[in-house]
Short mmCIF file of all heavy atoms in Angstrom, two decimals:
data_model
loop_
_atom_site.label_atom_id
_atom_site.label_comp_id
_atom_site.label_asym_id
_atom_site.label_seq_id
_atom_site.Cartn_x
_atom_site.Cartn_y
_atom_site.Cartn_z
N MET A 8 166.37 131.13 157.77
CA MET A 8 165.40 131.12 156.66
C MET A 8 164.00 131.44 157.22
O MET A 8 163.60 130.84 158.22
CB MET A 8 165.39 129.73 156.03
CG MET A 8 164.93 129.73 154.57
SD MET A 8 164.65 128.05 153.97
CE MET A 8 166.33 127.42 153.95
N PRO A 9 163.29 132.38 156.59
CA PRO A 9 161.91 132.65 157.08
C PRO A 9 161.03 131.42 156.92
O PRO A 9 161.27 130.60 156.03
CB PRO A 9 161.42 133.79 156.17
CG PRO A 9 162.57 134.20 155.35
CD PRO A 9 163.63 133.16 155.43
N LEU A 10 160.01 131.33 157.75
CA LEU A 10 159.17 130.14 157.77
C LEU A 10 158.51 129.90 156.41
O LEU A 10 158.44 128.76 155.93
CB LEU A 10 158.11 130.29 158.87
CG LEU A 10 157.30 129.03 159.18
CD1 LEU A 10 158.23 127.91 159.67
CD2 LEU A 10 156.25 129.31 160.23
N ASP A 11 158.01 130.96 155.77
CA ASP A 11 157.35 130.81 154.48
C ASP A 11 158.28 130.21 153.44
O ASP A 11 157.90 129.34 152.67
CB ASP A 11 156.86 132.17 153.97
CG ASP A 11 155.57 132.58 154.66
OD1 ASP A 11 155.07 131.80 155.49
OD2 ASP A 11 155.08 133.68 154.38
N ALA A 12 159.53 130.69 153.42
CA ALA A 12 160.50 130.19 152.46
C ALA A 12 160.80 128.72 152.73
O ALA A 12 161.00 127.93 151.80
CB ALA A 12 161.79 131.01 152.53
N MET A 13 160.81 128.35 154.01
CA MET A 13 161.09 126.96 154.37
C MET A 13 159.94 126.05 153.92
O MET A 13 160.17 124.95 153.44
CB MET A 13 161.30 126.86 155.87
CG MET A 13 162.23 125.74 156.24
SD MET A 13 162.81 125.93 157.92
CE MET A 13 161.28 125.80 158.79
N ILE A 14 158.71 126.53 154.08
CA ILE A 14 157.56 125.75 153.64
C ILE A 14 157.57 125.62 152.11
O ILE A 14 157.30 124.56 151.56
CB ILE A 14 156.24 126.37 154.17
CG1 ILE A 14 156.18 126.18 155.70
CG2 ILE A 14 155.02 125.71 153.52
CD1 ILE A 14 155.09 126.95 156.39
N ASP A 15 157.90 126.72 151.43
CA ASP A 15 158.02 126.67 149.97
C ASP A 15 159.02 125.63 149.53
O ASP A 15 158.77 124.84 148.62
CB ASP A 15 158.49 128.04 149.43
CG ASP A 15 157.33 129.01 149.24
OD1 ASP A 15 156.18 128.61 149.50
OD2 ASP A 15 157.59 130.14 148.83
N LYS A 16 160.15 125.62 150.20
CA LYS A 16 161.21 124.68 149.85
C LYS A 16 160.77 123.25 150.16
O LYS A 16 161.02 122.33 149.38
CB LYS A 16 162.49 125.02 150.62
CG LYS A 16 163.71 124.42 149.99
CD LYS A 16 164.98 124.83 150.72
CE LYS A 16 166.12 123.95 150.23
NZ LYS A 16 167.29 124.03 151.12
N ALA A 17 160.08 123.08 151.27
CA ALA A 17 159.57 121.76 151.65
C ALA A 17 158.58 121.26 150.59
O ALA A 17 158.63 120.10 150.19
CB ALA A 17 158.91 121.82 153.02
N MET A 18 157.70 122.13 150.13
CA MET A 18 156.73 121.76 149.11
C MET A 18 157.43 121.37 147.81
O MET A 18 157.02 120.45 147.11
CB MET A 18 155.76 122.92 148.83
CG MET A 18 154.76 123.19 149.94
SD MET A 18 153.78 121.75 150.44
CE MET A 18 152.79 121.50 148.97
N ARG A 19 158.50 122.10 147.52
CA ARG A 19 159.28 121.81 146.31
C ARG A 19 159.91 120.41 146.40
O ARG A 19 159.89 119.64 145.43
CB ARG A 19 160.37 122.89 146.16
CG ARG A 19 160.84 123.12 144.77
CD ARG A 19 161.38 124.54 144.55
NE ARG A 19 162.28 125.02 145.59
CZ ARG A 19 163.55 124.62 145.71
NH1 ARG A 19 164.05 123.74 144.88
NH2 ARG A 19 164.31 125.10 146.67
N LEU A 20 160.45 120.08 147.57
CA LEU A 20 161.04 118.75 147.77
C LEU A 20 159.98 117.66 147.60
O LEU A 20 160.22 116.63 146.96
CB LEU A 20 161.67 118.65 149.16
CG LEU A 20 162.93 119.49 149.42
CD1 LEU A 20 163.26 119.48 150.90
CD2 LEU A 20 164.10 118.97 148.61
N LEU A 21 158.80 117.90 148.16
CA LEU A 21 157.71 116.92 148.08
C LEU A 21 157.27 116.72 146.63
O LEU A 21 157.13 115.58 146.17
CB LEU A 21 156.51 117.39 148.91
CG LEU A 21 156.58 117.14 150.41
CD1 LEU A 21 155.44 117.84 151.11
CD2 LEU A 21 156.53 115.65 150.70
N LYS A 22 157.07 117.83 145.92
CA LYS A 22 156.59 117.75 144.54
C LYS A 22 157.62 117.10 143.63
O LYS A 22 157.26 116.46 142.64
CB LYS A 22 156.22 119.15 144.03
CG LYS A 22 154.87 119.60 144.54
CD LYS A 22 154.50 120.96 143.98
CE LYS A 22 153.25 121.50 144.68
NZ LYS A 22 153.24 122.97 144.70
N ALA A 23 158.89 117.28 143.95
CA ALA A 23 159.95 116.69 143.13
C ALA A 23 160.17 115.21 143.47
O ALA A 23 161.02 114.55 142.88
CB ALA A 23 161.25 117.48 143.32
N GLY A 24 159.40 114.71 144.43
CA GLY A 24 159.55 113.31 144.81
C GLY A 24 160.83 113.03 145.56
O GLY A 24 161.38 111.93 145.51
N ARG A 25 161.33 114.05 146.25
CA ARG A 25 162.61 113.90 146.94
C ARG A 25 162.45 113.51 148.40
O ARG A 25 163.42 113.52 149.16
CB ARG A 25 163.44 115.17 146.77
CG ARG A 25 163.99 115.23 145.34
CD ARG A 25 164.34 116.60 144.93
NE ARG A 25 165.54 117.07 145.60
CZ ARG A 25 166.11 118.25 145.33
NH1 ARG A 25 165.60 119.03 144.44
NH2 ARG A 25 167.18 118.60 145.97
N VAL A 26 161.24 113.21 148.80
CA VAL A 26 161.01 112.68 150.15
C VAL A 26 160.62 111.22 150.00
O VAL A 26 159.63 110.89 149.37
CB VAL A 26 159.90 113.46 150.88
CG1 VAL A 26 159.71 112.92 152.29
CG2 VAL A 26 160.23 114.94 150.92
N GLU A 27 161.45 110.37 150.55
CA GLU A 27 161.26 108.94 150.40
C GLU A 27 160.92 108.33 151.75
O GLU A 27 161.67 108.51 152.72
CB GLU A 27 162.55 108.32 149.86
CG GLU A 27 162.42 106.90 149.42
CD GLU A 27 163.79 106.34 149.02
OE1 GLU A 27 164.81 107.04 149.17
OE2 GLU A 27 163.82 105.20 148.58
N ARG A 28 159.79 107.63 151.83
CA ARG A 28 159.41 107.04 153.11
C ARG A 28 160.04 105.67 153.23
O ARG A 28 159.81 104.79 152.40
CB ARG A 28 157.89 106.94 153.19
CG ARG A 28 157.42 106.64 154.58
CD ARG A 28 155.92 106.85 154.71
NE ARG A 28 155.60 107.11 156.11
CZ ARG A 28 154.51 107.72 156.51
NH1 ARG A 28 153.63 108.15 155.64
NH2 ARG A 28 154.28 107.90 157.79
N LEU A 29 160.87 105.48 154.27
CA LEU A 29 161.56 104.20 154.45
C LEU A 29 160.73 103.27 155.31
O LEU A 29 160.67 102.07 155.08
CB LEU A 29 162.92 104.42 155.10
CG LEU A 29 163.89 105.34 154.36
CD1 LEU A 29 165.17 105.51 155.16
CD2 LEU A 29 164.20 104.82 152.98
N SER A 30 160.12 103.83 156.34
CA SER A 30 159.24 103.06 157.21
C SER A 30 158.28 104.06 157.83
O SER A 30 158.30 105.24 157.49
CB SER A 30 160.03 102.32 158.28
OG SER A 30 160.55 103.24 159.21
N TYR A 31 157.45 103.59 158.75
CA TYR A 31 156.43 104.47 159.31
C TYR A 31 157.01 105.79 159.83
O TYR A 31 156.44 106.85 159.60
CB TYR A 31 155.66 103.74 160.43
CG TYR A 31 154.55 104.58 161.00
CD1 TYR A 31 153.44 104.90 160.21
CD2 TYR A 31 154.62 105.06 162.30
CE1 TYR A 31 152.43 105.69 160.71
CE2 TYR A 31 153.60 105.85 162.81
CZ TYR A 31 152.51 106.17 162.01
OH TYR A 31 151.52 106.94 162.51
N ASN A 32 158.13 105.71 160.50
CA ASN A 32 158.69 106.90 161.13
C ASN A 32 160.06 107.32 160.58
O ASN A 32 160.74 108.12 161.18
CB ASN A 32 158.82 106.69 162.64
CG ASN A 32 157.51 106.91 163.35
OD1 ASN A 32 156.72 107.77 162.96
ND2 ASN A 32 157.25 106.13 164.38
N GLN A 33 160.45 106.76 159.45
CA GLN A 33 161.77 107.07 158.90
C GLN A 33 161.68 107.51 157.45
O GLN A 33 161.00 106.88 156.64
CB GLN A 33 162.66 105.85 158.98
CG GLN A 33 163.30 105.66 160.34
CD GLN A 33 164.29 104.53 160.28
OE1 GLN A 33 163.89 103.38 160.14
NE2 GLN A 33 165.55 104.86 160.35
N PHE A 34 162.39 108.58 157.16
CA PHE A 34 162.34 109.15 155.82
C PHE A 34 163.75 109.51 155.36
O PHE A 34 164.60 109.84 156.16
CB PHE A 34 161.49 110.43 155.81
CG PHE A 34 160.09 110.23 156.32
CD1 PHE A 34 159.84 110.21 157.69
CD2 PHE A 34 159.03 110.09 155.46
CE1 PHE A 34 158.54 110.04 158.18
CE2 PHE A 34 157.74 109.92 155.92
CZ PHE A 34 157.49 109.89 157.29
N ASN A 35 163.94 109.44 154.05
CA ASN A 35 165.13 109.95 153.40
C ASN A 35 164.71 111.20 152.63
O ASN A 35 163.74 111.14 151.88
CB ASN A 35 165.64 108.94 152.37
CG ASN A 35 166.93 108.30 152.80
OD1 ASN A 35 167.52 108.67 153.80
ND2 ASN A 35 167.37 107.34 152.03
N VAL A 36 165.42 112.30 152.82
CA VAL A 36 165.10 113.49 152.05
C VAL A 36 166.33 113.89 151.25
O VAL A 36 167.41 114.08 151.81
CB VAL A 36 164.64 114.65 152.95
CG1 VAL A 36 164.30 115.88 152.11
CG2 VAL A 36 163.43 114.24 153.78
N ILE A 37 166.15 113.97 149.94
CA ILE A 37 167.26 114.37 149.08
C ILE A 37 167.24 115.89 148.98
O ILE A 37 166.45 116.48 148.23
CB ILE A 37 167.15 113.70 147.70
CG1 ILE A 37 167.12 112.18 147.88
CG2 ILE A 37 168.32 114.12 146.80
CD1 ILE A 37 166.46 111.44 146.74
N GLY A 38 168.07 116.52 149.76
CA GLY A 38 168.13 117.98 149.80
C GLY A 38 169.07 118.52 148.74
O GLY A 38 169.66 117.76 147.96
N ASP A 39 169.21 119.84 148.72
CA ASP A 39 170.07 120.47 147.72
C ASP A 39 171.54 120.18 147.99
O ASP A 39 172.36 120.24 147.09
CB ASP A 39 169.85 121.98 147.72
CG ASP A 39 168.46 122.34 147.20
OD1 ASP A 39 167.89 121.53 146.44
OD2 ASP A 39 167.95 123.41 147.55
N HIS A 40 171.89 119.88 149.22
CA HIS A 40 173.30 119.68 149.56
C HIS A 40 173.61 118.28 150.04
O HIS A 40 174.69 118.02 150.58
CB HIS A 40 173.72 120.70 150.62
CG HIS A 40 173.36 122.11 150.26
ND1 HIS A 40 174.01 122.80 149.26
CD2 HIS A 40 172.40 122.93 150.71
CE1 HIS A 40 173.46 123.98 149.13
NE2 HIS A 40 172.47 124.09 150.00
N GLY A 41 172.67 117.37 149.89
CA GLY A 41 172.94 116.00 150.32
C GLY A 41 171.65 115.30 150.72
O GLY A 41 170.59 115.91 150.74
N THR A 42 171.78 114.02 151.03
CA THR A 42 170.62 113.26 151.47
C THR A 42 170.64 113.15 152.98
O THR A 42 171.67 112.86 153.57
CB THR A 42 170.65 111.85 150.83
OG1 THR A 42 170.66 112.01 149.42
CG2 THR A 42 169.42 111.05 151.23
N TYR A 43 169.49 113.42 153.60
CA TYR A 43 169.42 113.44 155.06
C TYR A 43 168.39 112.45 155.57
O TYR A 43 167.42 112.14 154.89
CB TYR A 43 169.08 114.85 155.54
CG TYR A 43 170.09 115.87 155.08
CD1 TYR A 43 169.76 116.81 154.13
CD2 TYR A 43 171.39 115.84 155.58
CE1 TYR A 43 170.69 117.73 153.68
CE2 TYR A 43 172.33 116.75 155.14
CZ TYR A 43 171.97 117.69 154.19
OH TYR A 43 172.91 118.58 153.75
N ASN A 44 168.63 111.99 156.77
CA ASN A 44 167.69 111.09 157.44
C ASN A 44 166.78 111.91 158.34
O ASN A 44 167.26 112.66 159.18
CB ASN A 44 168.44 110.08 158.30
CG ASN A 44 169.25 109.13 157.46
OD1 ASN A 44 168.74 108.54 156.54
ND2 ASN A 44 170.53 109.02 157.77
N VAL A 45 165.50 111.73 158.13
CA VAL A 45 164.53 112.37 159.01
C VAL A 45 163.79 111.28 159.76
O VAL A 45 163.29 110.33 159.16
CB VAL A 45 163.56 113.27 158.22
CG1 VAL A 45 162.54 113.92 159.16
CG2 VAL A 45 164.31 114.34 157.45
N VAL A 46 163.77 111.39 161.07
CA VAL A 46 163.14 110.37 161.92
C VAL A 46 162.10 111.04 162.80
O VAL A 46 162.30 112.13 163.32
CB VAL A 46 164.21 109.68 162.80
CG1 VAL A 46 163.57 108.65 163.71
CG2 VAL A 46 165.27 109.03 161.93
N ARG A 47 160.98 110.37 162.96
CA ARG A 47 159.95 110.87 163.86
C ARG A 47 159.86 109.92 165.04
O ARG A 47 159.79 108.71 164.88
CB ARG A 47 158.62 110.92 163.11
CG ARG A 47 157.55 111.71 163.86
CD ARG A 47 156.33 111.88 163.01
NE ARG A 47 155.95 110.59 162.42
CZ ARG A 47 154.89 110.42 161.65
NH1 ARG A 47 154.15 111.44 161.33
NH2 ARG A 47 154.59 109.23 161.19
N ASN A 48 159.86 110.48 166.24
CA ASN A 48 159.79 109.62 167.42
C ASN A 48 158.34 109.40 167.84
O ASN A 48 157.40 109.89 167.21
CB ASN A 48 160.66 110.18 168.55
CG ASN A 48 160.07 111.42 169.19
OD1 ASN A 48 158.93 111.79 168.95
ND2 ASN A 48 160.85 112.08 170.02
N ARG A 49 158.15 108.64 168.89
CA ARG A 49 156.83 108.28 169.40
C ARG A 49 155.93 109.47 169.68
O ARG A 49 154.72 109.40 169.53
CB ARG A 49 157.01 107.54 170.73
CG ARG A 49 156.77 106.09 170.68
CD ARG A 49 157.07 105.55 172.06
NE ARG A 49 157.85 104.32 171.97
CZ ARG A 49 157.29 103.11 171.87
NH1 ARG A 49 156.01 102.99 171.86
NH2 ARG A 49 158.05 102.04 171.78
N GLU A 50 156.54 110.58 170.15
CA GLU A 50 155.75 111.76 170.48
C GLU A 50 155.43 112.59 169.25
O GLU A 50 154.82 113.64 169.35
CB GLU A 50 156.51 112.63 171.50
CG GLU A 50 156.54 112.06 172.92
CD GLU A 50 157.63 111.00 173.07
OE1 GLU A 50 158.72 111.22 172.54
OE2 GLU A 50 157.36 109.96 173.70
N GLY A 51 155.90 112.11 168.09
CA GLY A 51 155.65 112.85 166.86
C GLY A 51 156.68 113.94 166.63
O GLY A 51 156.52 114.77 165.74
N LYS A 52 157.72 113.94 167.45
CA LYS A 52 158.79 114.93 167.26
C LYS A 52 159.70 114.50 166.13
O LYS A 52 160.05 113.33 166.01
CB LYS A 52 159.61 115.09 168.54
CG LYS A 52 159.03 116.12 169.49
CD LYS A 52 160.08 116.50 170.52
CE LYS A 52 159.84 117.89 171.06
NZ LYS A 52 160.98 118.34 171.88
N ILE A 53 160.11 115.48 165.33
CA ILE A 53 160.90 115.21 164.13
C ILE A 53 162.37 115.54 164.40
O ILE A 53 162.68 116.53 165.06
CB ILE A 53 160.37 116.08 162.97
CG1 ILE A 53 158.94 115.69 162.62
CG2 ILE A 53 161.29 116.04 161.78
CD1 ILE A 53 158.81 114.61 161.60
N ASN A 54 163.23 114.70 163.89
CA ASN A 54 164.66 114.99 163.95
C ASN A 54 165.28 114.78 162.58
O ASN A 54 164.97 113.81 161.90
CB ASN A 54 165.34 114.07 164.97
CG ASN A 54 166.72 114.55 165.30
OD1 ASN A 54 166.90 115.66 165.79
ND2 ASN A 54 167.71 113.73 165.02
N CYS A 55 166.13 115.73 162.17
CA CYS A 55 166.78 115.61 160.87
C CYS A 55 168.29 115.63 161.08
O CYS A 55 168.79 116.26 162.01
CB CYS A 55 166.35 116.77 159.96
SG CYS A 55 167.11 116.70 158.33
N SER A 56 169.00 114.94 160.18
CA SER A 56 170.45 114.82 160.34
C SER A 56 171.22 115.97 159.70
O SER A 56 172.43 115.99 159.75
CB SER A 56 170.93 113.49 159.75
OG SER A 56 170.65 113.43 158.37
N CYS A 57 170.53 116.93 159.12
CA CYS A 57 171.25 118.01 158.43
C CYS A 57 171.81 119.04 159.42
O CYS A 57 171.30 119.15 160.54
CB CYS A 57 170.36 118.68 157.39
SG CYS A 57 169.16 119.83 158.07
N PRO A 58 172.84 119.78 159.01
CA PRO A 58 173.45 120.77 159.91
C PRO A 58 172.48 121.87 160.32
O PRO A 58 172.55 122.37 161.45
CB PRO A 58 174.60 121.35 159.09
CG PRO A 58 174.74 120.52 157.88
CD PRO A 58 173.51 119.69 157.71
N GLY A 59 171.60 122.26 159.42
CA GLY A 59 170.64 123.32 159.73
C GLY A 59 169.74 122.94 160.88
O GLY A 59 169.45 123.75 161.76
N PHE A 60 169.31 121.67 160.89
CA PHE A 60 168.44 121.23 161.99
C PHE A 60 169.21 121.19 163.29
O PHE A 60 168.68 121.53 164.35
CB PHE A 60 167.84 119.86 161.66
CG PHE A 60 166.74 119.48 162.62
CD1 PHE A 60 165.42 119.80 162.36
CD2 PHE A 60 167.04 118.81 163.80
CE1 PHE A 60 164.41 119.47 163.24
CE2 PHE A 60 166.03 118.47 164.70
CZ PHE A 60 164.72 118.81 164.41
N GLN A 61 170.46 120.76 163.23
CA GLN A 61 171.28 120.68 164.45
C GLN A 61 171.43 122.06 165.08
O GLN A 61 171.41 122.19 166.30
CB GLN A 61 172.68 120.12 164.15
CG GLN A 61 172.70 118.78 163.41
CD GLN A 61 171.83 117.72 164.06
OE1 GLN A 61 171.85 117.54 165.26
NE2 GLN A 61 171.05 117.00 163.25
N SER A 62 171.57 123.10 164.26
CA SER A 62 171.79 124.42 164.84
C SER A 62 170.50 125.18 165.09
O SER A 62 170.42 125.96 166.03
CB SER A 62 172.74 125.24 163.95
OG SER A 62 172.21 125.36 162.65
N ARG A 63 169.45 124.96 164.28
CA ARG A 63 168.25 125.77 164.43
C ARG A 63 167.02 124.99 164.90
O ARG A 63 166.01 125.59 165.27
CB ARG A 63 167.91 126.46 163.11
CG ARG A 63 168.93 127.51 162.70
CD ARG A 63 168.45 128.27 161.49
NE ARG A 63 168.25 127.40 160.35
CZ ARG A 63 169.19 127.08 159.46
NH1 ARG A 63 170.40 127.58 159.60
NH2 ARG A 63 168.95 126.29 158.45
N GLY A 64 167.10 123.67 164.85
CA GLY A 64 165.97 122.87 165.30
C GLY A 64 164.83 122.79 164.30
O GLY A 64 163.76 122.30 164.60
N ARG A 65 165.05 123.28 163.10
CA ARG A 65 164.07 123.10 162.03
C ARG A 65 164.76 123.25 160.69
O ARG A 65 165.83 123.85 160.58
CB ARG A 65 162.92 124.09 162.16
CG ARG A 65 163.35 125.53 162.16
CD ARG A 65 162.13 126.44 162.10
NE ARG A 65 162.55 127.81 161.85
CZ ARG A 65 162.42 128.79 162.75
NH1 ARG A 65 161.91 128.55 163.91
NH2 ARG A 65 162.82 130.00 162.47
N CYS A 66 164.14 122.68 159.68
CA CYS A 66 164.73 122.74 158.34
C CYS A 66 163.65 122.34 157.33
O CYS A 66 162.58 121.84 157.72
CB CYS A 66 165.93 121.80 158.24
SG CYS A 66 165.49 120.07 158.48
N SER A 67 163.95 122.54 156.06
CA SER A 67 162.96 122.24 155.03
C SER A 67 162.69 120.74 154.93
O SER A 67 161.58 120.33 154.59
CB SER A 67 163.44 122.78 153.68
OG SER A 67 164.71 122.28 153.36
N HIS A 68 163.69 119.91 155.26
CA HIS A 68 163.51 118.45 155.17
C HIS A 68 162.49 117.96 156.18
O HIS A 68 161.58 117.21 155.86
CB HIS A 68 164.85 117.72 155.40
CG HIS A 68 166.01 118.43 154.77
ND1 HIS A 68 167.03 118.99 155.49
CD2 HIS A 68 166.26 118.69 153.47
CE1 HIS A 68 167.88 119.57 154.66
NE2 HIS A 68 167.44 119.41 153.43
N SER A 69 162.68 118.39 157.43
CA SER A 69 161.74 117.96 158.47
C SER A 69 160.36 118.55 158.22
O SER A 69 159.34 117.91 158.47
CB SER A 69 162.26 118.36 159.86
OG SER A 69 162.51 119.73 159.93
N THR A 70 160.32 119.78 157.67
CA THR A 70 159.03 120.39 157.33
C THR A 70 158.34 119.59 156.24
O THR A 70 157.13 119.35 156.30
CB THR A 70 159.24 121.85 156.88
OG1 THR A 70 159.93 122.55 157.91
CG2 THR A 70 157.92 122.54 156.61
N ALA A 71 159.11 119.13 155.25
CA ALA A 71 158.54 118.32 154.17
C ALA A 71 157.93 117.03 154.72
O ALA A 71 156.85 116.61 154.31
CB ALA A 71 159.62 117.99 153.13
N VAL A 72 158.63 116.42 155.67
CA VAL A 72 158.11 115.18 156.28
C VAL A 72 156.85 115.47 157.08
O VAL A 72 155.88 114.70 157.03
CB VAL A 72 159.20 114.52 157.16
CG1 VAL A 72 158.61 113.45 158.05
CG2 VAL A 72 160.30 113.96 156.28
N LEU A 73 156.83 116.60 157.79
CA LEU A 73 155.63 116.97 158.55
C LEU A 73 154.44 117.16 157.63
O LEU A 73 153.33 116.70 157.92
CB LEU A 73 155.89 118.26 159.34
CG LEU A 73 156.63 118.11 160.66
CD1 LEU A 73 156.98 119.48 161.23
CD2 LEU A 73 155.79 117.33 161.65
N ILE A 74 154.67 117.83 156.51
CA ILE A 74 153.58 118.06 155.54
C ILE A 74 153.11 116.71 155.00
O ILE A 74 151.92 116.44 154.94
CB ILE A 74 154.05 118.98 154.41
CG1 ILE A 74 154.31 120.39 154.94
CG2 ILE A 74 152.99 119.03 153.29
CD1 ILE A 74 155.04 121.30 153.97
N MET A 75 154.06 115.85 154.66
CA MET A 75 153.71 114.55 154.09
C MET A 75 152.93 113.70 155.09
O MET A 75 151.91 113.10 154.74
CB MET A 75 154.98 113.81 153.67
CG MET A 75 154.70 112.50 152.96
SD MET A 75 156.20 111.53 152.82
CE MET A 75 156.28 111.36 151.05
N SER A 76 153.37 113.66 156.33
CA SER A 76 152.67 112.81 157.30
C SER A 76 151.32 113.42 157.67
O SER A 76 150.38 112.72 157.96
CB SER A 76 153.52 112.54 158.54
OG SER A 76 154.28 113.65 158.90
N GLY A 77 151.22 114.77 157.62
CA GLY A 77 149.94 115.41 157.85
C GLY A 77 148.95 115.03 156.77
O GLY A 77 147.79 114.73 157.04
N GLN A 78 149.44 114.97 155.51
CA GLN A 78 148.57 114.61 154.40
C GLN A 78 148.10 113.17 154.51
O GLN A 78 146.93 112.88 154.29
CB GLN A 78 149.32 114.79 153.07
CG GLN A 78 149.38 116.24 152.63
CD GLN A 78 150.31 116.43 151.46
OE1 GLN A 78 151.09 115.55 151.12
NE2 GLN A 78 150.25 117.58 150.83
N SER A 79 149.02 112.27 154.87
CA SER A 79 148.64 110.86 154.90
C SER A 79 147.65 110.58 156.04
O SER A 79 146.86 109.68 155.95
CB SER A 79 149.88 109.98 155.05
OG SER A 79 150.53 110.24 156.25
N ARG A 80 147.71 111.41 157.10
CA ARG A 80 146.78 111.21 158.20
C ARG A 80 145.36 111.57 157.80
O ARG A 80 144.41 111.01 158.31
CB ARG A 80 147.22 112.07 159.39
CG ARG A 80 146.90 111.42 160.74
CD ARG A 80 147.43 112.26 161.87
NE ARG A 80 148.88 112.36 161.83
CZ ARG A 80 149.55 113.45 162.20
NH1 ARG A 80 148.93 114.53 162.60
NH2 ARG A 80 150.87 113.46 162.16
N ARG A 81 145.24 112.56 156.90
CA ARG A 81 143.90 112.99 156.50
C ARG A 81 143.26 112.05 155.50
O ARG A 81 142.06 112.11 155.28
CB ARG A 81 143.99 114.39 155.90
CG ARG A 81 143.98 115.49 156.96
CD ARG A 81 143.56 116.81 156.38
NE ARG A 81 144.52 117.31 155.39
CZ ARG A 81 145.60 118.03 155.72
NH1 ARG A 81 145.84 118.34 156.95
NH2 ARG A 81 146.41 118.44 154.78
N ARG A 82 144.02 111.20 154.86
CA ARG A 82 143.48 110.36 153.80
C ARG A 82 142.60 109.26 154.34
O ARG A 82 142.87 108.76 155.41
CB ARG A 82 144.62 109.74 153.01
CG ARG A 82 144.66 110.33 151.63
CD ARG A 82 145.86 109.82 150.88
NE ARG A 82 146.56 110.95 150.26
CZ ARG A 82 147.89 110.94 150.05
NH1 ARG A 82 148.62 109.94 150.39
NH2 ARG A 82 148.44 111.97 149.47
ZN1 ZN B 30 167.13 118.85 157.48
#
């Protein structure tokens, strides 16, 4: 998936309220094909449980979490 399309999809997930913050570094993202766990480690690295992240190292869910945590940091 091109980066722009992934950011678009991430924004869509955020606007639809499909990113749920469980704790400081843990999120549930309700994707189109299932609900995934997104976790951020101490170094700020993101990990997602979806197959796309396992094979490509990035996905719309983890991007959505990055956007969300970036926003909360600026507030
Ligand atoms: Zn994912």
Side-chain angles (χ1 to χ4, degrees):
M8 205 191 291
L10 190 61
D11 282 358
M13 209 164 63
I14 291 169
D15 276 359
K16 199 177 168 195
M18 288 306 292
R19 206 153 46 75
L20 291 169
L21 279 171
K22 281 182 189 152
R25 285 158 73 176
V26 182
E27 190 185 5
R28 193 167 204 159
L29 302 177
S30 70
Y31 183 67
N32 279 325
Q33 278 186 291
F34 303 81
N35 250 354
V36 180
I37 303 156
D39 292 336
H40 309 289
T42 302
Y43 301 110
N44 293 308
V45 179
V46 178
R47 193 173 48 178
N48 73 10
R49 253 177 224 271
E50 287 81 41
K52 273 196 154 190
I53 296 271
N54 194 60
C55 180
S56 62
C57 78
F60 191 91
Q61 307 309 315
S62 58
R63 292 187 300 272
R65 58 172 190 248
C66 63
S67 55
H68 321 115
S69 56
T70 304
V72 166
L73 278 172
I74 292 168
M75 185 192 238
S76 37
Q78 282 170 347
S79 62
R80 213 176 297 145
R81 276 201 295 273
R82 249 175 228 150

